Amino acid sequence: MFTRNCLLLFLCCLLDKSFMAPLHSPSHSRMGKEHHKSVAGLRRHGVSGVQRVKRGWVWNQFFVLEEYMGSDPQYVGKLHTDLDRGDSMVKYTLSGEGAGSIFTIEPTTGDIHALRSLDREAKSYYTLRAQAVDMRTGRPLEPESEFVIKVQDINDNEPKFLEGPYKATVPEMSPVGTYVTQVTASDADDPTYGNSARIVYSIIHGQPYFSVDSKTGVIRTALPNMDREVKEVYQALIQAKDMGGQLGGLAGTTTINITLSDVNDNPPRFSKSIFHLRVPESSPVGAAVGAIKAHDLDAGKNAEVKYSIVPGDGSTTFDIITDEESQDGVVILKKGLDYETRKSYSFRVEACNLQLDQNFLHLGPFKDVAMVKVNVLDVDEPPVFSKSSYSMEAYEDTPLGVVIGAVRAQDLDTSKSAVRYTIDWNKDTEHFFEIDPKDGILTVVEFLDRETTAQHNITIVARKVSNPLLFSKVTVTINVLDVNEFPPELVVPHETFVCENAKVGQVIQVVSALDRDHPAMGQRFYFKTLRDVSQRNFTIRDYGNNTASVVTRRAGFRRQLQKQYLVLVLVEDGGYPAKSSTGTLTVRVCACQPDGTLLSCSAEAVFLPVGLSTGALIAILLCVIILLVMVVLYMGVRRHKKKEALMSSKEDIRDNVIHYDDEGGGEEDTHAFDMGTLRNPKSMREAALRRDVKPEGSSASEGTFSTDGSKDIRAFIHQRLQENHVSGTAPPYDSLATFAYEGDGSVAESLSSIESWVVDPEDDFKRISDWGPRFKTLAGIFVEKETKANEAPENKDCH
């Protein structure tokens, strides 16, 4: 320390004499004197302005040592101007960075001192401003000048590793000189001044495995064939020293943790050559039998092992897979075992690496082989049925107690225990069957009905006598066979029609049958006509394919003679015993077009023109309604115009008309005079046939009427009209509708509804057939009526 302080003092003196003192020269002295004189003259004359003069003192920068440890303030330098004559009339001032706090100046001498120790690493230089001021006037003698004080560096900072400690990885078995990592140290000292920041690297701990480059700090391997399996982690201590590594330099250290990464340089190895495993015979397929392991000293993917069974004895029964976490070889059961059949298995297992490194294949094959022996353990097993499921059949009329089948189960263990059978009633709610507990024979205990349940599924349980907890189940399906117990029935329709113009042998309907039975070979039906019933109109034709047709045996059907026929059809099945039934088919007689198209089957349709369409019938109906409306209007108008009475008698026949409202026999029940006689004299000839009761007071006069008595009637009416005209009474328009009578000589005859029922039997209706084909049916009806009328007397004569 003393030596360093002496050296610093020497440097300060040297700098003070050579660099820091003002430069004195004749010119400068002369200029300073002149400047002084001018300033003095200005001061004497009291001039306040300051003229710019040439500076009489010059300085640029000063130096101060960092980390000064002396007791007195450190001398930095001296400011001096030529205008200062040493009479203490010039005052020096200092301003800028650190002025007054770090640096101070003696006002009269201009000496600058550092008040405290400075650190170059904190601040390397300070910029200040100096000025010389006249003590008497307080005015500056020269303009303000700026200068710099630099902090001179010393070696007070050691090198530091800012990123330490370090971690590095290098593959194992790497050759010498393999790059590991690089370290870097930094020094806070000034690298441009001396050797304070010149660093040299060296390895203190870590030989002989690693080395370091003294200039760059690069770490490399120094020992070959470093094996990770022997030692995986290494630690090296690196030193950085300044001053170029010379004596007295400062040093810093850091630690490097170096890990050897794995390479696949070790093959898998089984710990033993034979592995013994045991497995119960009841183990399910896919169950783990046991595990074997091949050890690999490598790590990660280099330690992954693949196991395989060498093709041979056990490859069909067992398989082996690799556990990804533990790298164990797990033996898996591929199919079921049976201790009674085989008690042990032996096979070889091979283990090999999946990731191979070509640089180490010369070390040998990276695989190993071991023998595995598996012993099968005997387990007490439940009995085994001879079949996985059973199927049986029974007729629905099977008597109770009849055997329908049997099941069989046996104990395959060495104990050969006896077996007992039961029905699992928890699943089967219908108790139709019973099983013998020893023999397994199934019998029927309830009557079967195929139409109710066609199939029964029951579950049979077989238990070992030696251990009832061991049991097995099997499903038994019982199909109920059909018995011919239901007769066949005709399928709808039960009604059809036949055309009036049908021909002999024409098919009018095809029928089929339905049977609720379910024969095993399909259904077969036979259609026949009843032998004891005469079928003169129709017959049944069986097609042999479970269908039949109804065929006509004659032609010329007429609705007027018979509207419908009943055809009895006998249908018989092919079961045993055969069942049959009789169905009735109603055949209606209808009018058809020549091509067989149905027109109408109602009796009222016979009076309609044949072949008229619905639109034509509606048009005719509308015309009739219009004509009726016109007639009603005409009658109303005519009644208002008539002023003369048609009858003179006050005893009119209004009561006769009122009697028509009676629900009895109509005109037969009236006791009045027959008005039809007055309207149409022709009716007198049938009066005796139509009336049983004669009106009161008319028997004598009724007998006097004759065919030519119309003159007397007209005279009688005329006389009564005259009497009514004289007396002023109104004629009986509501009781005597004489407008309906058009005289005996009219071609159209009477239009009155009262006489519409009178038909002359002598009229010839044969001329209707001459009106065309549309009136052919109507003409046939009148011909049939005439024929029946003629046959009736003949029949009476026969009886």
Side-chain angles (χ1 to χ4, degrees):
M1 181 63 68
F2 177 76
T3 304
R4 190 175 72 171
N5 291 337
C6 292
L7 180 60
L8 292 175
L9 182 60
F10 172 76
L11 291 175
C12 290
C13 293
L14 182 61
L15 292 172
D16 181 55
K17 291 181 180 179
S18 59
F19 297 101
M20 298 181 185
L23 297 176
H24 297 279
S25 62
S27 60
H28 287 174
S29 177
R30 185 170 56 251
M31 292 175 63
K33 292 179 180 179
E34 294 176 355
H35 178 68
H36 180 70
K37 291 180 180 178
S38 63
V39 171
L42 291 173
R43 289 173 183 172
R44 286 194 300 267
H45 294 293
V47 179
S48 60
V50 179
Q51 295 181 356
R52 180 176 179 81
V53 295
K54 187 177 182 180
R55 181 179 302 173
W57 52 293
V58 179
W59 60 85
N60 186 13
Q61 65 180 4
F62 297 99
F63 293 89
V64 60
L65 290 176
E66 69 170 335
E67 304 294 342
Y68 175 72
M69 304 300 294
S71 58
D72 298 329
Q74 183 182 1
Y75 180 75
V76 178
K78 185 180 181 65
L79 297 179
H80 185 73
T81 178
D82 292 343
L83 299 178
D84 188 1
R85 296 181 179 277
D87 53 0
S88 301
M89 297 303 295
V90 177
K91 179 183 178 181
Y92 296 96
T93 61
L94 192 66
S95 63
E97 295 178 341
S101 60
I102 300 177
F103 303 99
T104 184
I105 187 171
E106 184 66 29
T108 57
T109 63
D111 294 332
I112 301 174
H113 292 82
L115 300 177
R116 59 184 177 83
S117 177
L118 302 179
D119 186 5
R120 189 199 67 85
E121 287 70 35
K123 190 172 180 62
S124 61
Y125 67 92
Y126 297 86
T127 303
L128 295 96
R129 294 180 298 277
Q131 194 171 34
V133 181
D134 189 348
M135 292 286 288
R136 291 182 291 244
T137 64
R139 296 179 178 179
L141 299 177
E142 292 184 6
E144 188 179 48
S145 297
E146 185 178 276
F147 64 96
V148 175
I149 299 176
K150 294 190 64 177
V151 181
Q152 190 69 39
D153 181 54
I154 63 173
N155 189 17
D156 60 343
N157 292 281
E158 73 278 3
K160 295 181 179 180
F161 294 93
L162 302 179
E163 299 179 359
Y166 294 86
K167 292 182 179 181
T169 302
V170 63
E172 64 172 334
M173 309 301 289
S174 297
V176 176
T178 302
Y179 174 85
V180 178
T181 188
Q182 183 180 14
V183 296
T184 302
S186 60
D187 196 324
D189 293 328
D190 189 0
T192 64
Y193 180 76
N195 294 327
S196 298
R198 185 167 171 263
I199 300 174
V200 175
Y201 300 95
S202 61
I203 183 167
I204 298 177
H205 177 72
Q207 294 95 350
Y209 305 106
F210 304 98
S211 63
V212 62
D213 190 292
S214 59
K215 294 182 179 181
T216 61
V218 175
I219 311 299
R220 298 181 183 275
T221 58
L223 188 68
N225 299 326
M226 287 188 292
D227 193 356
R228 187 198 66 85
E229 288 73 34
V230 177
K231 186 176 181 179
E232 184 177 3
V233 179
Y234 294 83
Q235 193 175 68
L237 183 62
I238 305 299
Q239 175 183 271
K241 190 175 183 180
D242 58 8
M243 299 297 291
Q246 297 178 3
L247 184 63
L250 302 178
T253 59
T254 186
T255 302
I256 305 175
N257 295 315
I258 303 173
T259 303
L260 297 181
S261 60
D262 183 66
V263 296
N264 191 10
D265 58 342
N266 294 282
R269 290 289 182 265
F270 286 106
S271 59
K272 51 187 177 181
S273 60
I274 300 177
F275 292 87
H276 293 275
L277 303 177
R278 295 185 299 175
V279 57
E281 64 172 336
S282 60
S283 299
V285 175
V289 177
I292 62 176
K293 187 175 182 62
H295 297 275
D296 194 324
L297 299 178
D298 295 324
K301 292 187 175 296
N302 296 322
E304 292 181 355
V305 180
K306 178 183 179 182
Y307 298 91
S308 60
I309 297 178
V310 178
D313 186 27
S315 60
T316 58
T317 307
F318 301 95
D319 195 6
I320 189 169
I321 59 175
T322 303
D323 189 336
E324 295 182 357
E325 295 184 0
S326 63
Q327 294 298 312
D328 292 343
V330 181
V331 180
I332 303 298
L333 189 62
K334 290 177 63 176
K335 66 179 183 179
L337 301 175
D338 185 11
Y339 175 81
E340 289 72 25
T341 303
R342 187 168 182 176
K343 298 178 176 58
S344 64
Y345 295 86
S346 297
F347 52 89
R348 296 168 59 191
V349 176
E350 181 181 84
C352 62
N353 283 137
L354 294 177
Q355 304 291 336
L356 298 179
D357 194 333
Q358 300 296 328
N359 297 324
F360 302 99
L361 292 180
H362 62 279
L363 299 178
F366 283 77
K367 62 182 179 179
D368 197 9
V369 179
M371 180 67 70
V372 178
K373 291 186 177 181
V374 180
N375 294 322
V376 182
L377 302 179
D378 187 22
V379 177
D380 196 9
E381 298 174 306
V384 179
F385 283 95
S386 60
K387 296 180 181 180
S388 59
S389 62
Y390 292 85
S391 179
M392 302 177 185
E393 294 179 347
Y395 284 97
E396 59 181 339
D397 61 348
T398 301
L400 303 183
V402 174
V403 176
I404 60 173
V407 297
R408 178 175 176 78
Q410 60 180 345
D411 182 13
L412 300 180
D413 294 330
T414 55
S415 61
K416 300 296 181 182
S417 174
V419 179
R420 293 294 179 264
Y421 304 95
T422 58
I423 296 179
D424 189 1
W425 296 118
N426 294 329
K427 295 183 178 179
D428 305 293
T429 57
E430 299 176 354
H431 299 178
F432 289 94
F433 309 96
E434 190 177 73
I435 189 169
D436 188 284
K438 293 184 179 180
D439 300 332
I441 298 175
L442 282 170
T443 57
V444 179
V445 296
E446 293 288 344
F447 289 105
L448 304 177
D449 186 7
R450 191 202 66 81
E451 285 70 32
T452 303
T453 305
Q455 188 180 81
H456 296 269
N457 294 312
I458 62 175
T459 302
I460 305 299
V461 182
R463 300 178 183 271
K464 295 177 66 172
V465 175
S466 61
N467 188 359
L469 297 179
L470 296 176
F471 62 89
S472 58
K473 297 181 179 181
V474 71
T475 301
V476 179
T477 302
I478 303 172
N479 296 312
V480 181
L481 302 180
D482 185 49
V483 175
N484 193 20
E485 55 182 340
F486 294 99
E489 299 175 357
L490 281 181
V491 181
V492 292
H494 295 290
E495 183 176 328
T496 184
F497 70 94
V498 61
C499 296
E500 290 181 320
N501 56 357
K503 300 179 180 179
V504 178
Q506 182 175 341
V507 176
I508 63 171
Q509 182 64 47
V510 177
V511 296
S512 60
L514 179 65
D515 196 336
R516 286 185 291 171
D517 292 320
H518 189 269
M521 301 304 293
Q523 296 176 336
R524 178 67 175 93
F525 301 117
Y526 303 92
F527 301 88
K528 304 176 182 177
T529 55
L530 295 179
R531 296 181 179 180
D532 55 347
V533 178
S534 176
Q535 296 287 350
R536 295 179 298 175
N537 300 309
F538 305 96
T539 185
I540 304 301
R541 181 184 299 169
D542 193 342
Y543 290 132
N545 58 354
N546 292 342
T547 61
S549 61
V550 179
V551 183
T552 59
R553 298 186 64 180
R554 68 178 183 85
F557 294 93
R558 291 290 181 270
R559 281 175 291 174
Q560 292 74 21
L561 298 180
Q562 188 171 347
K563 296 180 180 180
Q564 64 182 19
Y565 297 88
L566 298 180
V567 180
L568 301 180
V569 181
L570 176 67
V571 55
E572 182 179 332
D573 60 16
Y576 181 82
K579 299 288 184 178
S580 62
S581 65
T582 302
T584 302
L585 181 65
T586 302
V587 181
R588 300 180 61 188
V589 181
C590 301
C592 303
Q593 292 184 358
D595 58 353
T597 304
L598 177 65
L599 290 178
S600 175
C601 295
S602 60
E604 293 79 2
V606 298
F607 296 101
L608 297 177
V610 180
L612 289 179
S613 62
T614 304
L617 294 176
I618 294 174
I620 294 173
L621 181 61
L622 290 176
C623 292
V624 171
I625 293 173
I626 293 172
L627 290 175
L628 291 177
V629 172
M630 293 176 65
V631 170
V632 171
L633 292 176
Y634 175 77
M635 292 297 298
V637 173
R638 185 174 178 180
R639 282 191 178 186
H640 285 288
K641 290 183 178 181
K642 278 191 176 184
K643 295 181 180 180
E644 295 180 359
L646 298 179
M647 296 181 64
S648 59
S649 175
K650 294 182 179 181
E651 296 178 359
D652 53 15
I653 55 176
R654 294 180 184 179
D655 293 339
N656 298 338
V657 178
I658 293 174
H659 278 81
Y660 290 144
D661 293 334
D662 190 4
E663 296 182 1
E667 294 182 2
E668 301 291 341
D669 295 335
T670 61
H671 299 283
F673 183 78
D674 188 5
M675 297 300 297
T677 305
L678 297 177
R679 293 187 179 92
N680 192 355
K682 295 181 180 180
S683 60
M684 294 175 59
R685 291 174 291 184
E686 298 180 359
L689 298 176
R690 291 188 295 106
R691 293 184 177 272
D692 298 331
V693 182
K694 298 180 181 179
E696 294 181 1
S698 62
S699 57
S701 61
E702 193 176 33
T704 59
F705 281 109
S706 61
T707 304
D708 54 354
S710 58
K711 294 180 180 181
D712 298 333
I713 294 175
R714 284 195 294 271
F716 173 77
I717 292 173
H718 180 72
Q719 182 181 355
R720 288 302 179 103
L721 290 176
Q722 291 295 332
E723 293 175 358
N724 290 335
H725 179 70
V726 174
S727 61
T729 59
Y733 292 105
D734 54 349
S735 60
L736 185 61
T738 58
F739 61 86
Y741 180 70
E742 297 184 8
D744 192 17
S746 175
V747 178
E749 298 183 352
S750 176
L751 297 177
S752 174
S753 60
I754 299 177
E755 292 294 328
S756 60
W757 60 275
V758 181
V759 179
D760 191 356
E762 296 178 1
D763 291 342
D764 187 6
F765 296 98
K766 294 182 180 180
R767 65 178 181 274
I768 298 177
S769 59
D770 299 334
W771 294 355
R774 294 182 179 273
F775 298 91
K776 184 177 181 180
T777 303
L778 186 60
I781 293 173
F782 286 109
V783 170
E784 290 180 2
K785 287 185 177 182
E786 185 179 357
T787 304
K788 290 182 179 180
N790 297 331
E791 291 178 355
E794 297 177 1
N795 294 334
K796 292 180 180 180
D797 296 339
C798 294
H799 291 289

